[in-house]
Amino acid sequence: MHWADFRAQRLSERKVPQVIVSGITPSGEFHIGHLREILTAEMIHRACLDSGLDSRYVFIVDSMDPLRRVYDFLSPEYEKYIGVPLAYIPAPNPDGTPSTDSGSYADFFVNPFLESLREIGVFPEIVMNHEAYEDGRFSEKIDLAISKKKEIREIIMDISGRDLPEDWFPYSPRGSNGSMDGVRVTGYEYPFVHWEDDHGITGRADIRKAEGKMPWRIDWAARWIIHQVTCEPAGKDHGAAGGSFDTGIPICKVLGGNPPEKIVYEWIQLKGMGPMSSSSGVTIGPMEALSLVPPEILRYVIARSKIGRHIEFDTGSALFEIADEYERLLSRIETGEITKRMQTRIDTRKGALRLSQVVRNSDPSESIGGVSFRHLSMLAQIKSSDDEVWESLRNSGHLSGEPGDSLAIRLGKMRNWIDGKHFPEDARIIIQTIIGEEFRENTTEEQRLFLRELSKSLENCEWNQDSIKDAIRECMGIYGLKGKDGFAALYWALLGRRYGPRASALISEMDRHTLIELLKGV
RNA sequence: GGGCCUGUAGCUUAGUCAGGUAGAGCACCGGGCUUUUAACCCGGUGGCCGGGGGUUCGAAUCCCCCCGGGCCCGCCA
């Protein structure tokens, strides 16, 4: 059983409508790791729907979280916003200075991310956490938390092992400049928390408005109740023993709720990106990943891995292998004796395939548009225009009529991948300009004679695939070469390797004169 | 210092919760395919399951110790 289906089964025991939630702080650019947060939850949501449960998927944006520090991409002017909720500070300009007309900091980072999510078929209900504070939806729980502050303080100290000061307070009011930093609580009488800030200024925060927020560990537990959350997978940072999940569960109970079960997912790491390193600041965002990888393959990367395992996200040759695996799953029919373990594996993989579809429960075989990822990579390299690719696919019987959207999108992404830095070099088709040493080392005199004959034959033949193919076949016949040996020689000459894409297709894309000159050098 | 995840074939991994003779894909090797979608089909090589101890008729699986990798414990998502 797939992990998402297993979770759905567990959730069904709750006998309530399911509310599956993801939560992310929009403190900067989103990255590929955030997709695991989103997709882990969304796949559980889909699994719930598939098993007939009533389920909603909600993305809570932590827009009420304060700016922690002035990040590298921000100008020093942001110093004054430290401690201010992200919903209430301006978005940065490209040069890092605060803009005057680009909306809030939170929206600035969230909006493009939501766009990416649509591309992978994720349509969450969006909750901006600061709006929940503005609307007073938190007020009852804030009031309750304040009245139970001793109990909550005990829980946090016990479970996390942290020391909280005697005057710890489960609500952080915003001071005179809107920041929650350096603000001391001096008293409480519903609905006002009285405070004094670093500047010696005093005031009061109305807990029914966004004039302050609860610290994370309490905020999280409270929102589970407010939104009736039944499931919220969390990154392993929350999952460590004594972490916010462990304190959230008892705090949620203290506040009168039924907390979700603890689910912790592992991080995604980057691999195969050459000199990439964290110090050089090169990361991969969801937009970039989506510009290279077909959406169902991106979903499959998450779906195929167990929640608790690291994922090495590799935009190089591993993409071919993942795509191959995906395509094999589509066509594979198990034969012979199927053991219990084999059946488990098959069910799990089929579940992963099902949950990888951009459109829920659509036919997986339609997602690849009838053309394998590898084949498309070859065509995209040797055919400069899309129309030629479609023409070729029609000739080979992969396509009839016009390509569908899914296939057109796949080709576009394939071209981005090939043109970019992530494409693996050994998959790149590089036409040789001169005959290299490898050629001489790997071919016989007979093979060379064949190629010389071919170069003559190609001088006059029609420049299309069929004629070229006929010429190749004919010349091989003259020297009695087996197909394998003839083609190998051709590939050694053209590509400096013993294999390659369909030779006639490749040659028909080349300039006749250049090719003949090359072959004359054998 | 405390804790979480993880270590299975050259690579990626299933199996660990409920102990019962190690499964798979890629790569590699051999064979087939009147002859290339880097394809496809058939067969094969390759694992003392990180190391050591223990429990058991039986351990990749349970318990203890050690080693390697990743990460969390700073009002912080």
Side-chain angles (χ1 to χ4, degrees):
Chain A
M1 188 186 285
H2 190 268
W3 50 259
D5 294 318
F6 174 75
R7 285 294 160 190
Q9 197 181 64
R10 290 291 288 265
L11 286 169
S12 70
E13 293 163 14
R14 289 183 165 239
K15 311 290 184 201
V16 294
Q18 302 304 324
V19 180
I20 321 292
V21 168
S22 297
I24 301 177
T25 304
S27 55
E29 290 283 352
F30 282 73
H31 55 77
I32 190 81
H34 290 119
L35 284 181
R36 189 166 200 182
E37 162 86 28
I38 296 290
L39 287 171
T40 301
E42 198 259 1
M43 287 173 184
I44 293 172
H45 163 65
R46 286 196 186 191
C48 284
L49 294 177
D50 290 348
S51 68
L53 296 175
D54 179 8
S55 177
R56 291 159 57 216
Y57 172 52
V58 180
F59 177 14
I60 299 179
V61 179
D62 288 313
S63 52
M64 195 61 190
D65 287 2
L67 184 70
R68 292 280 154 227
R69 60 185 176 86
V70 179
Y71 302 107
D72 294 345
F73 57 89
L74 297 174
S75 79
E77 289 169 73
Y78 272 93
E79 192 74 40
K80 66 182 179 217
Y81 295 120
I82 289 177
V84 180
L86 299 171
Y88 305 121
I89 61 182
N93 288 313
D95 66 359
T97 58
S99 75
T100 50
D101 56 1
S102 297
S104 81
Y105 189 102
D107 287 339
F108 178 79
F109 289 112
V110 167
N111 289 335
F113 183 62
L114 295 179
E115 214 170 290
S116 300
L117 294 187
R118 284 193 281 277
E119 258 199 82
I120 52 174
V122 176
F123 300 93
E125 291 175 32
I126 307 296
V127 170
M128 299 298 281
N129 205 35
H130 76 280
E131 290 175 0
Y133 276 95
E134 285 176 352
D135 297 347
R137 275 178 276 171
F138 271 98
S139 61
E140 188 199 327
K141 294 305 167 196
I142 294 169
D143 184 58
L144 186 58
I146 292 171
S147 67
K148 298 205 172 186
K149 102 182 154 175
K150 277 188 180 161
E151 213 174 319
I152 293 171
R153 180 169 171 269
E154 286 295 312
I155 289 171
I156 294 177
M157 294 205 300
D158 270 8
I159 295 179
S160 77
R162 275 197 0 237
D163 245 341
L164 294 179
E166 197 63 46
D167 62 350
W168 176 83
F169 200 78
Y171 182 82
S172 310
R174 299 170 64 196
S176 58
N177 58 2
S179 169
M180 294 182 274
D181 281 12
V183 182
R184 289 182 310 286
V185 172
T186 53
Y188 171 69
E189 59 192 73
Y190 182 86
F192 300 112
V193 172
H194 298 269
W195 51 261
E196 178 179 3
D197 70 13
D198 274 351
H199 311 286
I201 300 173
T202 60
R204 61 184 199 180
D206 186 336
I207 63 170
R208 299 168 304 181
K209 299 176 185 169
E211 294 176 354
K213 80 178 283 279
M214 288 193 282
W216 163 246
R217 286 175 189 256
I218 302 115
D219 177 294
W220 203 23
R223 73 166 71 159
W224 285 339
I225 303 172
I226 291 166
H227 302 290
Q228 299 291 297
V229 175
T230 54
C231 174
E232 182 171 359
K236 65 172 174 182
D237 43 351
H238 302 292
S244 48
F245 223 126
D246 287 353
T247 53
I249 288 170
I251 291 171
C252 181
K253 288 175 182 164
V254 165
L255 297 178
N258 178 22
E261 200 174 324
K262 183 174 179 178
I263 300 175
V264 177
Y265 63 85
E266 259 289 354
W267 297 135
I268 292 186
Q269 292 166 359
L270 296 173
K271 193 186 179 183
M273 293 180 62
M276 188 219 72
S277 72
S278 53
S279 60
S280 68
V282 182
T283 58
I284 188 161
M287 307 289 268
E288 189 182 1
L290 274 165
S291 74
L292 309 171
V293 186
E296 63 280 357
I297 300 293
L298 197 55
R299 290 186 65 105
Y300 183 64
V301 168
I302 307 294
R304 71 194 282 275
S305 306
K306 292 192 295 187
I307 290 182
R309 290 194 82 101
H310 303 263
I311 293 177
E312 299 252 345
F313 188 69
D314 184 336
T315 54
S317 57
L319 264 189
F320 281 121
E321 279 142 39
I322 300 276
D324 281 347
E325 184 179 296
Y326 182 96
E327 287 156 10
R328 259 198 313 276
L329 273 175
L330 289 175
S331 56
R332 192 178 188 90
I333 296 162
E334 301 296 336
T335 53
E337 192 194 352
I338 295 178
T339 62
K340 191 176 146 204
R341 282 181 177 177
M342 282 169 71
Q343 192 59 51
T344 300
R345 181 190 170 83
I346 292 165
D347 291 346
T348 303
R349 287 300 171 90
K350 293 286 180 190
L353 195 60
R354 184 185 98 243
L355 293 163
S356 297
Q357 301 313 304
V358 173
V359 177
R360 186 169 79 90
N361 286 344
S362 56
D363 182 354
S365 57
E366 279 168 22
S367 62
I368 64 162
V371 185
S372 80
F373 195 71
R374 282 186 192 276
H375 185 40
L376 198 60
S377 89
M378 185 272 293
L379 290 179
Q381 287 187 80
I382 63 172
K383 301 289 185 186
S384 45
S385 83
D386 290 1
D387 283 338
E388 288 174 286
V389 172
W390 309 140
E391 186 56 35
S392 169
L393 287 173
R394 281 185 206 104
N395 290 339
S396 55
H398 290 90
L399 179 68
S400 57
E402 291 304 308
D405 287 348
S406 152
L407 187 55
I409 290 169
R410 275 177 95 88
L411 178 59
K413 290 180 193 297
M414 182 59 77
R415 290 201 187 283
N416 289 339
W417 189 35
I418 290 165
D419 293 341
K421 62 186 174 181
H422 302 296
F423 192 74
E425 283 312 309
D426 61 1
R428 211 178 274 290
I429 294 170
I430 301 167
I431 306 291
Q432 305 293 291
T433 49
I434 52 164
I435 297 298
E437 272 304 306
E438 310 88 3
F439 175 82
R440 280 176 244 289
E441 286 164 14
N442 290 284
T443 51
T444 63
E445 181 56 28
E446 202 175 36
Q447 285 171 310
R448 282 171 225 149
L449 285 171
F450 149 66
L451 291 180
R452 280 183 209 120
E453 185 69 31
L454 181 63
S455 75
K456 275 183 234 161
S457 181
L458 289 176
E459 275 175 29
N460 299 310
C461 92
E462 269 190 72
W463 209 245
N464 61 48
Q465 282 198 42
D466 284 343
S467 306
I468 292 168
K469 188 179 178 182
D470 289 343
I472 295 171
R473 190 185 280 179
E474 194 180 319
C475 294
M476 283 196 300
I478 293 172
Y479 294 96
L481 277 178
K482 283 175 68 178
K484 205 170 169 181
D485 297 330
F487 281 105
L490 197 48
Y491 290 121
W492 276 115
L494 298 181
L495 305 175
R497 286 201 296 256
R498 71 178 161 78
Y499 55 87
R502 183 190 287 261
S504 54
L506 183 61
I507 290 172
S508 70
E509 285 297 298
M510 293 177 65
D511 173 68
R512 185 198 301 256
H513 180 71
T514 310
L515 175 71
I516 289 168
E517 285 306 305
L518 178 66
L519 290 183
K520 276 181 179 167
V522 299

